[in-house]
Amino acid sequence: MILEMRRALEEIESKNQQGYKKLFDATYEEVYSRSLLIIQREDQAAGVTEEFYTALFGKLKNGEYEQDLERWFLYQYYQTLRKQYHKLLSSQEKGTALKGTCTLSKIPASFPLLHRIMLVMYYQDDFSVEEIFGIYGLSEDKIYAELEKLEKAFPNLVKDQPEEVAAYLGNFKLLLLGASKEVLRSVTYQGMDAVYEKAARAAGITVKASAAASKDDFEYFVADVDMDLETPKPKKKPAPIPEEEEDDDLDPDEEEEIDEEEDDEDEDEDEEENDRYDWDMEDDGRKMVILGIILALIFVVLVAFAAFKFLNKDKDEEEDQIQTEEQLEGEDGAPLIIKGGEDGEEGDNTEGDDAQGEEQPEQPEETPEEQPEEQPEETPEEAPEATTMTAIPNSMNVRSEPNTSSTVLTTVKAGEKLEILGDASQEWVQIRCIEQDNQEGYVMTQYLKAE
């Protein structure tokens, strides 16, 4: 249903008037059956359906909808029930205790109208107590108390029901699921086209004339015309097709030889087809073997490459260790012995050293001066921009702690701007009431929307 609603909404956004009809066709069964389950009267259910679509079409025409289309749709429906509540209540019969067995859709009729609305909202459409409070204005404690009473009354409602509906008698959620299916199967949606036309016209939407309204006023008549009947021409008989004469000159032996040759040709063709099939199978088997060999070779190459890298790594580590040991010995001042040539050459070198005289003192090596590293300039941190959101319900409590049992500090109305002080991805978020002396507290994130 939600996919069809989005497609219809795209057509409405593109100024196509047929989008309203597509949206109505995709949703009116759910709306009417839910209304009938709550109100228990077909005429009032049809009236609520018409009022709901009139208000819905008006908001869609003005572009007043939210991204969560299905939730927004249900919220608008219960807003319509809230406006029509006193009118519906005046014509409702008082709830009576059920006696004996009855259909699942009639079990909720034993409760008052408001309790039926709360049952469907809480158990079927998964509205929270806070959302029910935001629409109907009842206190949360009152709603919890009434739901608890309904839970206690549930066993007495379903104790005499037949076994075929036992799967729906575990709790209210299952009961309403079975009741909704029962209503959808049993209700005939006659007159829904008229409901759409009334709602669309009330919302200022152009409605095309139905097929029944546009009648064909063309008058058919038969002219009196004298017609000369022509005598039918006799049909020509089809010429007989000459049959091919069989050669009577062939001997029976020759006929048998011809038949044997034809049989041999058929057998040869079958054998060729079988050979082709066998060849294809063998070819597939060879391909699989070759593919397996290639994969095995690739695996062996990868393993060998990994082993080679591992061994070279160990070897490099050993060489690095030897080089570091030699460097350490050179730093400690150990003498480095350099071997020359033969003994004669060593004597010549010593004589040459004596002739040169005294050794000159070694000059210290110049070490480059280390330049101080440039430190990056510190950039002042920019203060984060404050995030503001607006409240959705008509009246929402601001509590001292992030739970429903804490003290209510103040209340905000729909559309008031709130400064977000905490993490808006959590269930509860800390806020500051900008329009109420910067009062700080906690609200549920699902009742806020970004600007």
Side-chain angles (χ1 to χ4, degrees), residues 319-336:
E319 291 177 359
D320 293 340
Q321 186 175 3
I322 293 170
Q323 290 178 1
T324 53
E325 289 177 357
E326 292 177 355
Q327 291 174 359
L328 290 173
E329 290 177 359
E331 291 176 358
D332 292 338
L336 300 176

Side-chain angles (χ1 to χ4, degrees), residues 139-175:
S139 64
E140 296 179 6
D141 295 336
K142 178 67 174 176
I143 296 173
Y144 277 119
E146 295 302 323
L147 290 174
E148 187 176 355
K149 290 179 184 179
L150 295 176
E151 287 285 352
K152 291 179 180 179
F154 182 79
N156 294 328
L157 293 174
V158 298
K159 63 181 180 180
D160 296 329
Q161 298 304 316
E163 294 182 357
E164 55 265 20
V165 295
Y168 298 104
L169 303 180
N171 51 46
F172 272 120
K173 194 175 186 68
L174 294 174
L175 175 66

